C-alpha cells in the first residue's frame, strides 16, 4: 500500500477539534498519520506514571476513517523532570559549554540515566500499542545529530578506542603521537578533540567523529531492540536529514532500520535564495535510497512556509505536489507532510503546516487533496517499483569527516564538490546510486569516487578489480591521501589508486579565490569544448601508464597534466587532479557516458527532470517541470499518463510545476 499522510500533534490542540481534523484528513485521502513524536510530557507526566488515554482517543478518532498510525518515540525532547535528574544529562558542545533547558536535542546520548528514562517510556509505549490494530510502525526519536563532548563521552570514547586498537602502542603508532610528544601512556589521558584547542591531532578527531556517529547508532539500537522485541509486527524507521547532514554515518544508521525516512524542506527559513536547485533535492533522495539500497519514505515534507524567527518564501502553487512526486520518482514509497496545522505556540510558530494557524483549509490543503486523489488511483502501481542505476557515486563519511577536520583549502567543500558531479547526471536524466566505499560495484558501469580522501587499502583493491573487470572509474583530486587513521599515506599520491589510474601526483597547489588556473584539453575529441576554469586544489600529474586528457594553461605548471585517462584490463580510469567549474564535469562525464553508451530515457529540457522507476518489466517515466513557466518536451513514442489516463506523443506542453507519470502505450 502507498502511504500518504501528515504529521499531527493532537496534544497541541483542543480535543473538540480532533474529529474535524480527522475528517479533513480523510477527505484528503490520507491513510497514515505520525503521532506522539514530541509528547513525552503528556505520555509520562511524572516519572513512571503513564497516560496514553488521550493518545488512544486521538487514534480512535483517526481510526474511524481507517487512518493508520506511526508512533514517534519522544526521546528527542525530554520533559523538565527528566532533565532535572542530573546536570550531566545535558550535552556539552564543542566549545565546552553545556546546553541548558529550552530547546530540544539537549541530551547526551551516552548518559546511562537518560538511557534508563528512554528505555522506560519506549517500553511503556511499545507495551501499550504492540497489538493495537491501527498502529503500523515507529519512528525513533527525531533527526539524530549533534556531537557531545562531555566527560562521560570522553570515558566512553576511551573504551571505544580500546576496542579499536590492539593496545596503546598500536594507537600511538597509528595516530603518530610522537608528533608534539602526544604519546599516551594511559587510555585515561586521551582527550576529546574539543579539549585540545583548535587543531587536534587529525587521527584523534577522526576517531572521535566516528565514535560520535556510532554513539547515535547505538542509541537508536537501544530503542530498535525494545520495539522489535515487543512489537515484532511493526516497522521501525528514523527520519534522517538527507545528503546535507554530515555528522552521522547514515549508512551505519540505516542498517538497523526496516527502512529509512527522509525529512525534506526545499524552502526553509535558512535558504535565502528563491531558486531551488532540483538536483540538490534529488541528491537527498538518491542518498536515502542508497543507504539500504532500497526504497524509503518521506516522513516530513514541507507543506508551508518554513520559519522559526524568520519566515521563508511559501511553496508556490504546485510545488508541494511537485516535490512529493519528485521524492516518489526517486524511490519514496510513503509521503507525509509536515505538519498538519501551524502551531500557535513554541519555537516553530512560523513553521507552517498544511493548514495555517486559523485552521481554514486553503490552497496548500487543496493541493495535498489533489495528490491524495491521484495516489488513491496510482499508489499501488508505483509502490515497490524500483529505481535502476548504472552509475554510482561513492559517499565516504570518513573522507567527509576528514575534510571537516582539515578542509585543505577554505574554499573546498566535499559536499559542494559531490553536488557538482551529481548535478551533471541529474541534468542529463541519468539515475545515480549513492553507495558506501565498501560496496559491491559489479552492478555499475560507471563509478565516481569524488575526493575519496580516506581510502582503506581493501577499498582501493576493490576499485582496481572493478576497473580490470571492465568498469569505468572517475576519481577526483585529493583521493587516496589518508589511511584509515587519518595519517597521510607513505606513498606517492594518489596512494593505493596510483596504479589503477596510471598516474602520480608530483606536487599540489592550494589556490585562493583570486588566483585560478585554466585547462586545455589534449585530445582531439574535446576540440571546441569550453576551457574549464580550475582552482582551489590543483595537482600536477605525471602519467605512468595513463594518457593525458587535459593540461594546465597557466602558472608555473602550465603545460603539465591535470587530467588523465588510463585503460586497464577491460576497463578505464579517469583521474581529475584539479577541482573544476561545473563545465569540467559536464564535459568529462558526457564524454564517458558516450563511450560506455549510457543514455537518458528522454531528451533533456532545461529544468525538466526525467526519472524512471521500474515495476518489473514496466517502465514508469516521471517528468517533473521544476520551472514556474510552461515547458515543451518531445516524446518520440506514444505514452499514457497514469495521472489522467490521457495519451501523449510528440510535442507535449508541461504546466508550471507540472508532473507526468508515463508508461508506454
Ligand atoms: C524538522 C524536524 C521537525 C520540525 C521541522 C521544522 O527538521 O524534524 O520536528 O522541527 O524541522 O523546523
Amino acid at each position: 500500500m502507498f502511504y500518504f499522510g501528515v504529521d499531527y500533534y493532537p496534544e497541541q490542540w483542543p480535543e473538540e477539534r480532533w474529529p474535524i481534523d480527522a475528517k479533513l484528513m480523510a477527505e484528503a485521502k490520507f491513510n497514515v498519520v505520525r503521532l506522539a513524536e514530541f509528547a513525552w510530557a503528556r505520555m509520562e507526566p511524572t516519572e513512571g506514571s503513564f497516560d496514553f488515554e488521550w493518545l488512544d482517543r486521538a487514534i480512535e478518532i483517526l481510526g474511524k476513517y481507517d487512518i493508520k498510525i506511526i508512533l514517534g518515540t519522544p526521546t528527542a525532547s525530554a520533559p523538565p523532570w527528566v532533565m532535572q535528574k542530573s546536570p550531566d544529562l545535558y550535552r556539552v558542545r564543542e566549545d565546552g559549554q553545556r546546553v541548558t533547558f529550552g530547546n530540544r536535542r539537549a541530551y547526551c546520548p551516552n548518559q546511562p540515566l537518560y538511557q534508563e528514562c528512554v528505555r522506560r517510556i519506549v517500553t511503556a509505549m511499545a507495551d501499550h500499542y504492540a497489538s493495537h490494530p491501527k498502529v503500523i510502525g515507529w519512528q525513533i526519536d527525531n533527526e539524530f545529530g549533534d556531537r557531545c563532548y562531555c566527560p562521560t563521552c570522553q570515558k566512553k570514547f576511551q573504551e571505544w578506542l580500546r576496542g579499536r586498537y590492539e593496545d596503546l602502542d598500536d594507537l600511538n603508532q597509528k595516530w603518530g603521537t610522537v608528533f608534539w610528544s602526544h604519546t599516551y601512556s594511559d587510555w585515561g589521558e586521551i582527550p576529546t578533540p574539543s579539549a585540545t584547542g583548535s587543531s587536534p591531532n587529525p587521527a584523534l578527531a577522526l576517531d572521535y567523529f566516528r565514535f560520535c556517529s556510532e554513539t547515535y547508532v547505538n542509541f537508536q539500537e537501544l530503542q530498535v531492540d525494545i520495539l522489535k522485541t515487543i512489537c515484532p509486527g511493526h516497522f521501525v524507521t528514523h527520519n534522517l536529514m538527507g545528503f546535507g547532514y554530515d555528522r552521522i554515518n547514515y549508512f551505519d544508521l540505516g542498517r538497523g532500520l526496516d527502512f529509512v525516512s527522509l525529512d525534506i524542506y526545499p524552502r526553509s527559513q535558512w535558504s535565502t535564495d528563491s531558486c531551488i536547485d532540483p538536483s540538490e533535492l534529488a541528491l537527498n533522495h538518491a542518498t536515502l535510497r542508497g543507504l539500504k539500497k532500497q526504497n524509503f519514505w518521506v516522513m516530513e515534507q514541507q507543506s508551508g512556509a518554513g520559519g522559526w524567527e524568520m519566515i521563508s518564501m511559501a511553496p508556490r502553487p504546485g510545488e508541494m505536489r511537485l516535490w512529493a512526486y519528485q521524492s516518489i520518482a526517486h524511490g519514496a514509497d510513503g509521503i507525509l507532510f509536515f505538519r498538519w496545522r501551524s502551531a500557535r505556540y513554541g519555537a516553530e510558530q512560523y513553521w507552517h503546516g498544511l493548514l495555517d494557524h486559523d485552521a481554514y483549509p486553503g490552497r496548500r490543503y487543496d493541493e495535498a487533496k489533489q495528490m491524495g486523489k491521484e495516489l488513491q488511483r496510482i499508489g499501488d502501481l508505483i509502490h515497490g517499483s524500483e529505481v535502476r542505476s548504472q552509475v554510482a557515486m561513492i559517499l565516504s563519511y570518513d573522507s567527509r569527516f576528514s575534510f571537516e577536520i582539515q578542509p585543505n583549502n577554505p574554499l573546498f567543500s566535499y559536499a559542494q564538490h559531490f553536488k557538482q558531479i551529481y548535478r551533471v547526471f541529474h541534468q542529463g536524466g541519468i539515475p545515480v546510486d549513492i553507495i558506501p566505499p565498501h560496496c559491491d560495484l559489479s552492478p555499475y558501469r560507471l563509478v565516481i569516487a569524488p575526493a575519496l580522501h580516506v581510502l582503506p587499502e581493501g577499498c582501493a583493491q576493490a576499485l582496481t578489480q572493478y576497473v580490470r573487470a571492465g568498469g569505468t572509474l572517475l576519481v577526483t583530486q585529493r583521493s587516496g591521501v589518508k589511511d584509515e587513521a587519518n595519517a597521510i599515506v607513505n606513498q606517492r599520491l594518489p596512494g593505493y589508486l596510483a596504479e589503477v589510474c596510471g598516474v602520480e601526483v608530483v606536487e599540489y597547489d592550494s589556490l585562493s579565490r583570486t588566483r585560478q588556473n585554466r585547462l586545455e584539453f589534449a585530445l582531439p575529441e574535446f576540440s571546441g569544448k569550453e576551457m574549464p576554469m580550475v582552482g582551489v586544489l590543483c595537482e600536477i600529474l605525471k602519467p605512468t601508464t595513463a594518457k593525458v586528457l587535459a593540461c594546465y594553461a597557466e602558472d608555473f605548471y602550465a603545460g603539465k597534466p591535470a587530467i588523465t585517462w588510463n585503460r586497464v584490463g577491460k576497463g578505464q580510469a579517469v583521474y581529475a587532479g584539479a577541482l573544476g567549474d561545473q563545465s569540467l564535469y559536464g564535459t568529462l562525464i558526457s564524454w564517458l557516458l558516450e563511450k560506455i553508451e549510457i543514455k537518458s530515457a528522454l531528451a533533456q529540457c532545461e529544468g525538466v527532470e526525467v526519472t524512471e522507476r521500474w515495476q518489473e518489466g514496466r517502465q514508469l517515466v516521471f517528468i517533473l517541470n521544476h520551472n514556474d513557466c510552461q515547458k515543451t518536451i518531445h516524446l518520440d513514442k506514444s505514452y499514457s499518463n497514469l495521472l489522467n489516463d490521457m495519451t501523449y506523443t510528440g510535442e507535449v506542453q508541461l504546466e508550471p510545476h507540472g508532473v507526468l507519470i508515463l508508461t508506454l502505450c
Side-chain angles (χ1 to χ4, degrees), residues 38 104 142-143 239 263 265 300 308 338 348 351:
F38 289 114
R104 58 181 175 182
N142 171 272
E143 296 184 343
N239 56 334
D263 291 351
Y265 293 93
E300 298 181 2
W308 285 32
F338 181 87
E348 294 193 348
W351 207 284

Side-chain angles (χ1 to χ4, degrees), residues 336-598:
L336 283 86
F337 291 109
F338 181 87
R339 49 185 278 155
W340 173 244
R341 178 174 172 185
S342 320
R344 289 184 51 224
Y345 306 102
E348 294 193 348
Q349 285 172 333
Y350 290 126
W351 207 284
H352 295 77
L354 280 177
L355 307 189
D356 285 327
H357 304 94
D358 59 20
Y360 284 100
R363 71 163 178 99
R364 301 195 302 279
Y365 169 80
D366 288 344
E367 203 170 303
K369 196 169 167 182
Q370 180 193 343
M371 254 198 102
K373 225 169 158 179
E374 291 165 352
L375 285 171
Q376 222 188 14
R377 288 183 49 233
I378 63 169
D380 286 345
L381 267 174
I382 295 171
H383 183 264
S385 60
E386 44 170 23
V387 176
R388 294 179 188 163
S389 311
Q390 301 189 73
V391 179
M393 288 180 70
I394 297 178
L395 170 58
S396 158
Y397 281 96
D398 274 355
S399 300
R400 211 169 175 182
F401 291 160
S402 178
F403 281 123
E404 186 186 339
I405 298 156
Q406 297 166 295
N408 285 211
N409 181 307
L411 300 175
F412 180 67
S413 148
Y414 176 84
Q416 290 306 329
H417 178 51
F418 203 98
K419 284 181 197 172
Q420 265 189 318
I421 297 179
Y422 180 79
R423 188 175 298 125
V424 176
F425 292 104
H426 182 263
Q427 289 177 347
I430 308 291
V432 176
D433 279 356
I434 306 299
I435 58 168
H438 294 283
C439 184
D440 175 17
L441 303 174
S442 61
Y444 302 106
R445 311 260 317 283
L446 171 61
V447 170
I448 321 283
L452 190 51
H453 202 52
V454 177
L455 180 65
E457 193 178 351
C459 177
Q461 279 165 356
L463 287 168
T464 306
Q465 272 159 20
Y466 164 75
V467 174
R468 284 192 191 288
T472 297
L473 175 68
L474 168 61
V475 179
T476 71
Q477 77 296 317
R478 306 301 287 148
S479 288
V481 175
K482 298 285 191 107
D483 68 14
E484 273 176 291
N486 214 9
I488 294 180
V489 294
N490 195 14
Q491 279 159 292
R492 248 209 163 157
L493 299 182
Y496 295 123
L497 291 175
E499 197 195 325
V500 69
C501 294
V503 77
E504 288 178 351
V505 177
V506 180
E507 193 181 339
Y508 50 79
D509 198 11
S510 174
L511 297 174
S512 67
R513 202 181 293 278
T514 52
R515 185 86 178 227
Q516 293 195 322
N517 208 315
R518 274 179 311 118
L519 291 188
E520 267 165 8
F521 284 113
L523 289 188
E525 288 144 270
F526 293 108
S527 63
K529 292 277 178 209
E530 190 181 329
M531 291 203 307
M533 296 303 294
V534 292
V536 184
L537 294 164
C538 294
E539 298 170 341
I540 305 169
L541 306 182
K542 185 177 113 196
T544 48
T545 55
K547 269 192 175 173
V548 176
L549 281 189
C551 291
Y552 293 100
E554 290 167 11
D555 220 321
F556 71 94
Y557 37 99
K560 297 274 167 60
I563 302 181
T564 58
W565 171 40
N566 198 32
R567 296 188 148 276
V568 188
K570 295 185 191 151
Q572 53 191 333
V574 170
Y575 188 86
L579 182 74
D581 60 15
Q582 193 65 42
S583 79
L584 171 62
Y585 304 103
T587 304
L588 272 183
I589 289 166
S590 332
W591 178 70
L592 283 173
L593 288 175
E594 210 170 292
K595 266 191 173 318
I596 57 176
E597 295 176 356
I598 295 183

Side-chain angles (χ1 to χ4, degrees), residues 211-387:
F211 159 78
C212 292
S213 173
E214 265 189 53
T215 290
Y216 279 110
V217 175
N218 295 337
F219 183 76
Q220 175 177 265
E221 202 174 286
L222 179 163
Q223 301 198 33
V224 173
D225 286 349
I226 297 171
L227 295 170
K228 282 287 169 195
T229 310
I230 306 179
C231 315
H234 294 165
F235 65 72
V236 179
T237 187
H238 172 71
N239 56 334
L240 297 88
M241 291 174 270
F243 175 81
Y245 193 73
D246 59 3
R247 304 219 150 174
I248 296 181
N249 183 330
Y250 272 176
F251 292 107
D252 293 341
L253 197 69
R255 215 162 286 135
L257 301 169
D258 290 308
F259 58 84
V260 287
S261 299
L262 172 69
D263 291 351
I264 191 153
Y265 293 93
R267 285 200 192 280
S268 75
Q269 59 153 333
W270 298 285
S271 56
T272 45
D273 197 348
S274 58
C275 294
I276 293 174
D277 176 356
S279 78
E280 277 205 26
L281 304 183
L283 178 54
N284 288 306
H285 304 127
T287 304
L288 265 277
R289 198 182 62 244
L291 298 181
K292 292 181 74 70
K293 271 201 135 200
Q294 71 182 43
N295 290 351
F296 59 94
W297 280 39
V298 170
M299 197 55 85
E300 298 181 2
Q301 189 207 285
Q302 180 161 14
S303 64
W308 285 32
E309 291 76 25
M310 303 296 169
I311 303 175
S312 83
M313 220 169 124
R316 304 343 253 172
E319 275 189 332
M320 281 166 38
R321 176 172 171 271
L322 172 75
W323 297 332
Y325 277 119
Q326 189 192 21
S327 298
I328 295 173
H330 286 273
D333 269 349
I335 303 272
L336 283 86
F337 291 109
F338 181 87
R339 49 185 278 155
W340 173 244
R341 178 174 172 185
S342 320
R344 289 184 51 224
Y345 306 102
E348 294 193 348
Q349 285 172 333
Y350 290 126
W351 207 284
H352 295 77
L354 280 177
L355 307 189
D356 285 327
H357 304 94
D358 59 20
Y360 284 100
R363 71 163 178 99
R364 301 195 302 279
Y365 169 80
D366 288 344
E367 203 170 303
K369 196 169 167 182
Q370 180 193 343
M371 254 198 102
K373 225 169 158 179
E374 291 165 352
L375 285 171
Q376 222 188 14
R377 288 183 49 233
I378 63 169
D380 286 345
L381 267 174
I382 295 171
H383 183 264
S385 60
E386 44 170 23
V387 176

